[in-house]
Amino acid sequence: MLRAAVYPLAAVVVLALAFLLVGPKYALGALVSGVTVVAGTVLAAWVGLGGGVQAAGSAMIRMFLGFALKIVLIVAVLAMAFVWWRLPPLALLAAIPVALMFQVLALARR
């Protein structure tokens, strides 16, 4: 599971460095939303997989709860970044698919 957090984080840092050419607020926006996706993934893994061996129903509830917490975390941080911190929407929204794509690619690698 560590690989699913490290690869997207590296991709988000590269994206933030690319956005640094546009401006520091763009780089910060990409970094904030990308790190939020990685943190949400770690939170979902901790909640979903941290219960040990359980019955199928309990395991599925933990997985769904972890996913719901991940989505709530991402939406809450995006709302704060849009409203309070006034970070550029392009950078905020660009980092999310990059982080998720590299997460899937990291999990698909053997």
Side-chain angles (χ1 to χ4, degrees), residues 11-104:
V12 165
V13 168
V14 169
L15 181 68
L17 288 174
F19 270 121
L20 194 57
L21 297 173
V22 179
K25 288 186 84 168
Y26 284 85
L28 182 63
L31 203 58
V32 164
S33 62
V35 168
T36 302
V37 171
V38 172
T41 300
V42 170
L43 176 68
W46 181 67
V47 169
L49 303 174
V53 178
Q54 296 179 354
S58 298
M60 286 302 294
I61 288 173
R62 290 181 65 91
M63 293 295 286
F64 285 130
L65 180 63
F67 179 72
L69 288 174
K70 176 181 179 176
I71 297 300
V72 166
L73 176 70
I74 292 171
V75 169
V77 171
L78 277 180
M80 286 190 304
F82 277 132
V83 176
W84 289 345
W85 302 329
R86 305 267 187 220
L87 294 176
L90 173 67
L92 286 169
L93 296 177
I96 294 172
V98 169
L100 292 175
M101 179 180 63
F102 275 88
Q103 176 187 346
V104 170

